[in-house]
Amino acid sequence: MREKKRNLTKNKAKLSINNKTYEFPIYKSTEGESVIDISKLHSIANIFTYDPGFTSTASCESKITFIDGEKGILRYRGYDIEELAKKSDFIEVVNLLIYGDLPNNKQLKKYKRLITRHTLLHDQIINFFQGFRRDAHPMAMMVGVMGALSSFYQDTLDIHDAHQRQEATRRIVAKSATIGAMAYKYSIGQSFVSPKNNLSFSENFLHMCFSNTAEEYKISPILSKAMDTIFILHADHEQNASTSTVRLAGSSGANPFACIAAGVSSLWGPAHGGANQAALEMLEEIGTSKNIRKYLNKAKNKKDPFKLMGFGHRVYKNYDPRAKILKNICQKVLNHVGIKNDPILKLAIDLEKIALREKYFIDKKLYPNVDFYSGIILRAIGFPPEMFTVIFAIARTAGWTAQWTEMIEDPIQKIGRPRQLYTGNKPLKYGKNRSKKNTR
Ligand code: CMC
């Protein structure tokens, strides 16, 4: 492994195993927890660490996103999410995440042009869409088409060429919105709408989703600002499941489109990006505030697989700052579309209020996360629940590509290869002990 200068603390971590003591360096982070470097543990002590779900393991070094889960803080490259949501726009945030600082006006203008140059998809991708069933989940199309981009854009597959890497990241961000909109149009049986490069990223996405051959969609500044804020809030979230998947896939040298397709797959699950769809469906199932108690009891019952979707987080043990911003936008968007008293929003607010008074949720520090309110806004804009995770994926292409780039450019980058605690059989003789179960 190549050496890298790190911010060492004076202290060392000591680990005693069978009367032998081993010492490990501790690196200081700019903010947040320090880390013990145990990368030499196996070679010096012939033992592994065991940490399912990486609850105590830093899998990489990163300068991109900082979260303080106890205080409910989220920062991209040092900037508070609240400030970015108010003052920035999505493409500026993409630029910030990828390049490390805020662009000046000239750089931003140029970057917007570079992104919009890539909003179109290769014409043959239309044939690709036509192979999907109309009733397929749009995330199924997203996974497939994202991976397929590697067959169309072969001039940006060389991960060792910095220019190709940058071009690939711009293609991924720009084309993800077009793919997402096409997946939506395909699922509702309408023809695809071409991107319009004079529009902003968010306006263009709304245009591609809601214009049709007979009618141009009139873009409301309130809705496009809400859409843009949703994109900003979902742009990155340090080493979550899908980002770690992108990094792991990329660590083998796989091309960027394949890596991002792996991230889309990981995001799809209901414990991760799929929670926004699940949260709205849960609110619809609960139906009325009268049923809240019944569902809270289900959530608390360990024998019941039901969880309060849009609640809880691996890192936030406080209110998710993204949920706070979205809660504030909700009413504005609902008023704008003419829903003065949305029963689903009322139910969500009641549910939050009651849950946050319950001992179970207080003790486990379970608060609303980003997925609790985003679905209510997206539904008011006009999206069906199946599109919510697609929208999350479009936004997260920013973080995935920034994290993938950081990983490739890290001098100590090596293939990710976790170890295991093996608890299977010891050596067996073939043919003896055949299974007696009839259940497989
Ligand atoms: N409803 C009821 N109980 C919960 C919930 C919930 N939503 N979330 C966590 N718990 C309980 C969990 O059962 C466990 O109890 P115990 O200690 O008695 O076994 C305890 O709280 C700790 O939870 P955990 O599952 O060990 O925590 P985790 O860090 O592994 O999981 C999570 C985090 C987000 C997967 C989980 O909170 C969850 O499944 N929430 C619902 C799905 C959701 O909203 N996901 C979106 C996350 S934010 C956006 C994103 O990152 O994609």
Side-chain angles (χ1 to χ4, degrees):
M1 196 198 285
R2 277 165 286 179
E3 283 305 318
K4 192 166 172 180
K5 254 189 122 179
R6 309 226 190 226
N7 198 358
L8 277 166
T9 59
K10 281 192 205 115
N11 299 330
K12 290 210 172 223
K14 288 186 185 160
L15 178 66
S16 292
I17 308 167
N18 297 335
N19 298 327
K20 268 188 106 174
T21 301
Y22 304 91
E23 286 196 342
F24 301 94
I26 303 177
Y27 305 140
K28 225 167 132 46
S29 52
T30 331
E31 278 193 275
E33 291 85 344
S34 302
V35 303
I36 304 169
D37 178 353
I38 50 110
S39 57
K40 297 213 166 50
L41 175 66
H42 182 242
S43 63
I44 60 175
N46 200 29
I47 198 163
F48 295 127
T49 54
Y50 176 65
D51 182 18
F54 298 105
T55 54
S56 300
T57 298
S59 61
C60 65
E61 178 184 341
S62 181
K63 293 181 166 53
I64 301 175
T65 291
F66 172 73
I67 303 173
D68 183 329
E70 292 298 327
K71 294 191 185 134
I73 291 172
L74 168 63
R75 294 192 201 115
Y76 298 160
R77 300 283 190 183
Y79 294 97
D80 263 322
I81 195 67
E82 285 86 359
E83 202 174 10
L84 290 171
K86 224 181 269 166
K87 300 181 182 164
S88 193
D89 68 27
F90 179 62
I91 295 302
E92 183 176 64
V93 166
V94 175
N95 191 281
L96 170 70
L97 288 170
I98 291 187
Y99 295 102
D101 51 12
L102 280 172
N104 61 35
N105 286 342
K106 204 169 146 204
Q107 287 166 332
L108 183 59
K109 216 169 141 198
K110 183 175 163 206
Y111 194 67
K112 286 190 172 169
R113 215 170 38 242
L114 286 173
I115 294 270
T116 45
R117 268 185 55 203
H118 291 300
T119 50
L120 279 171
L121 289 173
H122 192 289
D123 209 42
Q124 268 175 268
I125 291 179
I126 292 178
N127 304 339
F128 208 93
F129 267 97
Q130 276 154 0
F132 292 117
R133 283 174 57 133
R134 293 268 179 199
D135 62 356
H137 196 289
M139 278 298 274
M141 302 186 218
M142 198 78 188
V143 173
V145 178
M146 188 58 81
L149 294 185
S150 39
S151 73
F152 290 96
Y153 302 103
Q154 297 179 27
D155 57 341
T156 46
L157 299 186
D158 182 357
I159 62 162
H160 304 295
D161 178 326
H163 174 73
Q164 290 197 31
R165 285 202 300 272
Q166 287 186 20
E167 193 73 343
T169 64
R170 294 192 280 264
R171 278 184 164 147
I172 288 164
V173 172
K175 292 180 197 306
S176 66
T178 315
I179 298 170
M182 285 170 85
Y184 173 58
K185 286 298 198 192
Y186 189 76
S187 68
I188 58 169
Q190 286 187 6
S191 25
F192 301 129
V193 173
S194 283
K196 265 191 178 175
N197 286 350
N198 60 332
L199 299 176
S200 74
F201 187 90
S202 305
E203 288 168 345
N204 187 37
F205 179 63
L206 293 173
H207 156 73
M208 290 189 290
C209 289
F210 300 127
S211 285
N212 59 50
T213 39
E215 263 179 54
E216 183 90 354
Y217 174 73
K218 206 166 164 284
I219 302 163
S220 130
I222 291 178
L223 299 192
S224 68
K225 174 66 188 158
M227 191 73 244
D228 205 66
T229 308
I230 285 179
F231 283 142
I232 291 173
L233 299 182
H234 290 80
D236 194 46
H237 213 233
E238 53 120 305
Q239 309 313 318
N240 53 80
S242 59
T243 302
S244 301
T245 302
V246 170
R247 280 186 178 258
L248 198 55
S251 75
S252 72
N255 78 66
F257 303 104
C259 296
I260 302 303
V264 177
S265 307
S266 171
L267 186 78
W268 194 356
H272 191 7
N276 48 17
Q277 174 176 349
L280 189 77
E281 286 169 352
M282 174 194 77
L283 290 170
E284 279 167 352
E285 187 186 318
I286 297 174
T288 145
S289 300
K290 275 195 270 168
N291 295 330
I292 289 177
R293 174 63 34 217
K294 179 177 138 200
Y295 281 87
L296 285 184
N297 288 340
K298 272 167 77 63
K300 292 190 290 188
N301 181 358
K302 288 285 156 233
K303 290 191 189 124
D304 191 323
F306 176 81
K307 276 194 173 177
L308 213 50
M309 300 313 284
F311 255 75
H313 199 275
R314 169 65 58 81
V315 185
Y316 293 118
K317 301 301 165 202
N318 200 325
Y319 213 103
D320 180 338
R322 302 166 300 173
K324 220 180 264 173
I325 298 169
L326 289 174
K327 189 179 179 185
N328 288 336
I329 297 174
C330 252
Q331 197 56 58
K332 216 178 190 181
V333 168
L334 289 170
N335 286 347
H336 178 75
V337 299
I339 309 171
K340 284 269 175 291
N341 300 305
D342 182 18
I344 289 287
L345 177 61
K346 184 184 174 304
L347 174 62
I349 291 171
D350 287 350
L351 179 58
E352 178 193 321
K353 222 185 274 167
I354 298 171
L356 293 184
R357 274 196 239 121
E358 290 272 315
K359 186 173 166 13
Y360 177 93
F361 290 88
I362 295 168
D363 288 352
K364 295 187 190 303
K365 299 186 176 171
L366 301 170
Y367 291 85
N369 60 49
V370 70
D371 295 317
F372 195 63
Y373 287 105
S374 61
I376 299 175
I377 300 174
L378 291 172
R379 189 184 64 143
I381 294 176
F383 290 105
E386 306 80 64
M387 277 299 288
F388 298 173
T389 316
V390 168
I391 289 162
F392 193 156
I394 294 168
R396 192 52 63 84
T397 57
W400 290 331
T401 51
Q403 301 265 355
W404 173 82
T405 305
E406 185 181 62
M407 179 201 65
I408 299 288
E409 293 175 358
D410 189 334
I412 64 157
Q413 188 271 323
K414 48 164 36 188
I415 187 164
R417 198 343 180 152
R419 305 304 289 254
Q420 63 174 6
L421 167 66
Y422 177 69
T423 54
N425 288 329
K426 289 200 165 168
L428 293 174
K429 278 251 181 301
Y430 179 79
K432 284 195 169 177
N433 306 314
R434 284 196 189 269
S435 174
K436 294 187 180 67
K437 291 181 204 150
N438 288 322
T439 49
R440 67 178 187 213

